[in-house]
Amino acid sequence: MYPPQFSAEPPSTDRTPRTYDVIIAGCGPTGAVLAAELRLHDVRVLVLEKETEPASAVRIVGLHIRSLELMAMRGLLDRILPHGRQRPASAYFAAIAKPAPTGLDSRYAYLLGIPQPVIERLLEEHAIELGAQVRRGRAVAGFEQDDEGVTVELADGEQLRSCYLIGCDGGRSTVRKLLGVGFPGEPARTESLMGEMEVGVSQEEIAAKVAEIRETHQRFWLRPAGVGVYSVLVPATGVSDRAEPPTLDDVKRQLRAIAGTDFGVHSPRWLSRFGDATRLADRYRVGRVLLAGDAAHIHPPIGGQGLNLGVQDAFNLGWKLAARIRGWAPEALLDTYQAERRPVAEAVLDNTRAQTELLSTEPGAQAVRRLLIELMDFDEVNLHLLEKITAIGIRYDFGPGPDLLGRRLPDLDVKQGHLYGLLHRGRGLLLDRTERLTVGGWSDRVDHVADSTAALDVPGVLLRPDGHVAWIGDGQRDLDDHLSRWFGEPAH
Ligand SMILES: Cc1cc2nc3c(=O)[nH]c(=O)nc-3n(C[C@H](O)[C@H](O)[C@H](O)COP(=O)(O)OP(=O)(O)OC[C@H]3O[C@@H](n4cnc5c(N)ncnc54)[C@H](O)[C@@H]3O)c2cc1C
């Protein structure tokens, strides 16, 4: 923790007392992770959540390798694992499951299926334990920013003040709309109905019919989702009134249209409707207001990447925003958030576009799909797609340098145990095989691990708090330059 308990931003000169360093709109997965990351640095953070109760739609989401690694980096994974089901690592590209390729370099090489409300609850609890305030039933309705901060107005008229406002308020983000940031892209071409319900026929009957239909229709499933309960996905074609919540009759009608039977479905636990719109915010930052998660990007759920992408936005933004609040951030640090994360979102949007085409029942698309299934037998193709979907292939552009520069470092064995175990506090870390480097005046924000036995084939690396390699080498002066670049002026 940094010693000062107050904001390093200049004090407010107007009459409204500044109450928080950061206000986050939305306590979904992105907002909760961002709040926890900020609390690691003693930032006074308030999360405003529109809904009074947590969401109830129990869709299972998949946490991919990079998100699992990040959770391990903050000591959260052990808490999450018992609530999910581990499945083998695979690209799951366009719902094509192939065995994991060889050469997959991660201690966490699996997919964790976990109900979204459960992961949301665990992340929110974690943020609160670290000291974040979460207020439910409080919607952000407006804001005004000036040179010193942001005045945030709630739906009931209450006004709050903070240095920064972050819109983590989902695809229909109020913050993004009020900012006037464009959200160009493609509207939904197809929509689906999804829900969990009981069935009236045998498991064998369902399995046989579903296998037959899924040979050509990928936007359809009936999968066991607990004792006596099935998860159902059907196209929403012809279910007209989008403003009304879907009904069991809608689902039955769609099942009969596609399968010739409604499988006797009854007693729905929940039903929802979603589309495959693809959109990306023009900007992630306007002054003191920033966007993260679905507020900045939406895309079809194929490949299960949306929650992962938002959570990873939060890991990228948290320490930079904290550095700004604490007063040591280099001038341009906050702008690296958009420079690094927007291209990542662009790439995810593109891969979901490609996957969506591969789900089409048109003969041409089906032929391309068969060809890709063959190609994925080549390890390199399989690994390339897996690195895309699981986000372990991300390389931020930190300028010229070895291939490792800008990439994440896997959870290596070090003298003290595992590398990720040393990153729980969200600080930078110098992993030093030469055992003669120093972090000098940056020791209040960067840890130094001297270990000549570390399983690394370079002399030293500087890791940012999000686990990306910011420097590689063995020269102290060069290291100092890079410490300044990422962690500002030394304290002494
Ligand atoms: C069928 C389906 C399956 C999916 N499967 C996966 C998967 O396997 N893996 C994966 O990674 N992703 C998956 N996703 C995507 C994932 O659900 C989203 O990407 C994720 O929820 C985004 O998180 P978020 O926190 O950015 O936004 P959200 O989860 O939308 O949270 C935003 C929060 O902001 C609140 N809010 C809204 N407006 C305001 C306001 N004005 N003031 C205050 N609060 C406000 C909302 O109530 C909400 O709680 C799936 C999506 C669907 C539809």
Side-chain angles (χ1 to χ4, degrees), residues 253-299:
R253 203 174 324 112
Q254 298 305 101
L255 281 170
R256 284 196 292 269
I258 197 166
T261 165
D262 63 18
F263 301 97
V265 292
H266 63 96
S267 312
R269 303 292 191 267
W270 57 268
L271 296 170
S272 76
R273 175 178 183 147
F274 64 91
D276 62 356
T278 303
R279 295 184 182 279
L280 179 62
D282 281 334
R283 300 174 65 180
Y284 280 20
R285 177 184 180 193
V286 180
R288 292 175 172 274
V289 184
L290 293 96
L291 302 170
D294 275 17
H297 38 68
I298 55 166
H299 54 79

Side-chain angles (χ1 to χ4, degrees), residues 64-67 90-91 312 385-393:
H64 287 295
I65 297 173
R66 187 56 185 155
S67 297
S90 162
Q312 289 162 30
L385 294 176
L386 181 140
E387 286 183 347
K388 255 187 197 303
I389 296 284
T390 64
I392 57 172

Side-chain angles (χ1 to χ4, degrees), residues 25-31 48-51 59-64 116 120 138-141 168-175 194 272 274 292-295 299 301 303-310:
C27 195
T30 306
L48 298 167
E49 167 54 53
K50 177 180 71 159
E51 301 296 334
R59 62 175 176 252
I60 306 291
V61 292
L63 287 185
H64 287 295
Q116 180 149 347
E120 284 185 8
R138 311 306 300 275
V140 171
C168 298
D169 49 347
R172 298 195 170 92
S173 170
T174 303
V175 174
M194 197 174 169
S272 76
F274 64 91
D294 275 17
H299 54 79
Q305 300 166 90
L307 184 148
N308 289 267
L309 186 61

Side-chain angles (χ1 to χ4, degrees), residues 63-337:
L63 287 185
H64 287 295
I65 297 173
R66 187 56 185 155
S67 297
L68 297 170
E69 290 184 341
L70 290 166
M71 299 298 161
M73 249 181 232
R74 295 297 184 259
L76 253 175
L77 191 58
D78 288 344
R79 185 192 282 203
I80 292 171
L81 280 182
H83 299 275
R85 235 179 95 203
Q86 291 183 33
R87 292 171 60 192
S90 162
Y92 300 109
F93 195 83
I96 301 166
K98 290 271 184 185
T102 50
L104 184 53
D105 188 13
S106 175
R107 204 183 284 278
Y108 311 93
Y110 49 86
L111 173 78
L112 189 75
I114 187 165
Q116 180 149 347
V118 174
I119 185 72
E120 284 185 8
R121 174 175 56 79
L122 294 172
L123 295 174
E124 182 178 339
E125 280 172 6
H126 176 63
I128 291 171
E129 279 166 24
L130 287 174
Q133 287 185 43
V134 179
R135 287 208 220 153
R136 288 195 161 271
R138 311 306 300 275
V140 171
F143 60 82
E144 264 181 39
Q145 55 173 318
D146 52 53
D147 289 348
E148 292 166 0
V150 189
T151 302
V152 177
E153 180 159 334
L154 307 192
D156 62 7
E158 184 184 350
Q159 290 197 341
L160 299 164
R161 182 96 176 141
S162 61
C163 297
Y164 289 90
L165 167 68
I166 318 297
C168 298
D169 49 347
R172 298 195 170 92
S173 170
T174 303
V175 174
R176 187 192 64 237
K177 288 176 192 158
L178 291 171
L179 265 184
V181 166
F183 202 40
E186 302 97 61
R189 286 195 300 179
T190 60
E191 297 205 320
S192 304
L193 302 183
M194 197 174 169
E196 284 183 359
M197 55 207 77
E198 293 177 37
V199 293
V201 298
S202 74
Q203 201 172 335
E204 294 71 29
E205 205 176 315
I206 294 175
K209 194 77 191 168
V210 169
E212 179 195 319
I213 296 168
R214 279 185 57 86
E215 288 201 359
T216 46
H217 286 74
Q218 296 300 324
R219 284 195 192 90
F220 167 84
W221 73 53
L222 258 88
R223 293 177 180 157
V227 185
V229 177
Y230 274 69
S231 162
V232 178
L233 175 79
V234 283
T237 331
V239 181
S240 52
D241 195 351
R242 224 199 164 283
E244 292 296 315
T247 63
L248 183 65
D249 279 343
D250 293 330
V251 175
K252 283 181 160 179
R253 203 174 324 112
Q254 298 305 101
L255 281 170
R256 284 196 292 269
I258 197 166
T261 165
D262 63 18
F263 301 97
V265 292
H266 63 96
S267 312
R269 303 292 191 267
W270 57 268
L271 296 170
S272 76
R273 175 178 183 147
F274 64 91
D276 62 356
T278 303
R279 295 184 182 279
L280 179 62
D282 281 334
R283 300 174 65 180
Y284 280 20
R285 177 184 180 193
V286 180
R288 292 175 172 274
V289 184
L290 293 96
L291 302 170
D294 275 17
H297 38 68
I298 55 166
H299 54 79
I302 181 82
Q305 300 166 90
L307 184 148
N308 289 267
L309 186 61
V311 160
Q312 289 162 30
D313 284 348
F315 274 97
N316 186 287
L317 176 59
W319 68 277
K320 297 173 181 173
L321 196 54
R324 188 94 192 115
I325 300 287
R326 295 265 65 96
W328 56 257
E331 193 47 41
L333 187 65
L334 202 49
D335 286 328
T336 66
Y337 165 61

